[in-house]
Amino acid sequence: MTSRSTVAGHGERLVVVVAHPDDETFGCGSLIALASAAGAHVTVICATLGESGERRPDPVTDSWPLGLVREAELCQAGVVLGVDEVIILDYVDSGFSGPAPEGALISAPLALVALDLDARLAAIQPDVVLTLDGSDGHRDHCQLRDAVTEAVARQNRPVRLVHSCLARSLMRQWAAAMRTAGPGREHLTIGDDALGRPDHELIEIDTSVVLATRERAIACHLSQSSPFDGLPPALRHRFLTTDYIVEIAPANPTPVDAAGAANTAGRS
């Protein structure tokens, strides 16, 4: 395992593409905070409002649509992490499993999602694109990872594609802890050997310097239970002070008629 100091440095444009509000924080918040502190310009593109997520009770927001609550949490966490711009697309949260709702991200043709992202990236002209590698088993994360790969390959300038990863060794410890603290989590159904990425493939980044920032961003997502809730303190500290990435060589894109891209409208 090798190491690195940050995914993007001074003057670089970093685009972080995630599926749901809180992915930017729970998944790669420390990487965002480090890049911002190093002087990178950070844009977060979030594909859905996380409408299918579970919610923790809150008398202030219980009557609000969950998507509205999570959009506000995303923007608040973005300010904490040092994000310069948040763009929210119009896909619907698919949920971890079960029948997908109408408009769900997982139901959108992959090529059309890629074309949507291609246009977004072309407008921003990033130096680095960061997304989750999908090794937690969430189908939206996997769909978006594949669409991001194709979108980056379509760019007319060099762009570094980086996956934020979960170390398999840590995920095995996480799964063991969750079987006691949160046995109902759907992630536990996919098996320990499918959670996370093999450690030898990973590049390690020490993110301990932005731990306080990451904790403040996590606290912004009041409607959600974080994946670190209920972990032994030492294991929680390891998750939040060391991040893992892999740099991906973009694959050759599949030719698609751009006129067929139907879901390119979004909010910014």
Side-chain angles (χ1 to χ4, degrees):
M1 188 180 296
T2 58
S3 62
R4 185 169 301 167
S5 59
T6 183
V7 295
H10 181 74
E12 291 190 304
R13 289 186 173 271
L14 169 65
V15 173
V16 182
V17 187
V18 295
H20 318 102
D22 80 19
D23 289 341
E24 86 297 332
T25 294
F26 297 164
C28 54
S30 296
L31 297 176
I32 293 173
L34 274 182
S36 177
H41 181 283
V42 183
T43 299
V44 170
I45 298 176
C46 187
T48 80
L49 291 176
E51 306 92 334
S52 297
E54 297 180 358
R55 69 191 300 169
R56 295 195 293 194
D58 176 14
V60 175
T61 62
D62 279 347
S63 62
W64 298 9
L66 180 57
L68 178 61
V69 174
R70 299 193 70 182
E71 180 178 8
E73 292 172 346
L74 166 62
C75 293
Q76 184 180 10
V79 171
V80 171
L81 295 172
V83 173
D84 297 282
E85 181 183 20
V86 173
I87 299 170
I88 301 175
L89 307 183
D90 288 337
Y91 302 97
V92 174
D93 181 3
S94 309
F96 192 90
S97 60
E102 183 178 354
L105 177 60
I106 192 65
S107 301
L110 180 65
L112 298 189
V113 180
L115 282 173
D116 189 350
L117 293 172
D118 174 22
R120 310 278 176 179
L121 297 180
I124 299 169
Q125 296 284 287
D127 301 289
V128 185
V129 173
L130 174 69
T131 195
L132 307 186
D133 76 338
S135 62
D136 64 346
H138 198 298
R139 56 187 178 177
D140 276 346
H141 297 173
C142 297
Q143 168 86 334
L144 200 61
R145 173 201 64 206
D146 294 342
V148 168
T149 299
E150 184 169 324
V152 168
R154 292 177 178 276
Q155 298 303 293
N156 60 6
R157 58 194 295 273
V159 180
R160 302 200 313 275
L161 175 59
V162 179
H163 283 177
S164 174
C165 305
L166 297 162
R168 183 158 296 168
S169 60
L170 284 181
M171 288 305 293
R172 285 174 173 161
Q173 295 178 61
W174 177 87
M178 283 300 105
R179 289 190 181 97
T180 300
R185 287 183 179 266
E186 288 188 280
H187 299 76
L188 297 175
T189 64
I190 68 173
D192 292 7
D193 290 337
L195 283 172
R197 197 163 184 148
D199 291 35
H200 70 272
E201 298 178 4
L202 306 177
I203 299 170
E204 180 179 301
I205 297 181
D206 180 356
T207 57
S208 56
V209 69
V210 294
L211 175 59
T213 300
R214 178 86 172 276
E215 293 281 21
R216 290 197 302 273
I218 289 172
C220 292
H221 290 282
L222 292 173
S223 71
Q224 302 300 297
S225 297
S226 95
F228 315 113
D229 291 346
L231 290 182
L235 182 57
R236 187 180 194 280
H237 185 78
R238 287 185 64 193
F239 268 105
L240 295 180
T241 57
T242 305
D243 279 55
Y244 301 95
I245 65 169
V246 168
E247 293 222 5
I248 305 300
N252 293 327
T254 301
V256 175
D257 179 5
N263 194 6
T264 57
R267 300 189 306 278
S268 61

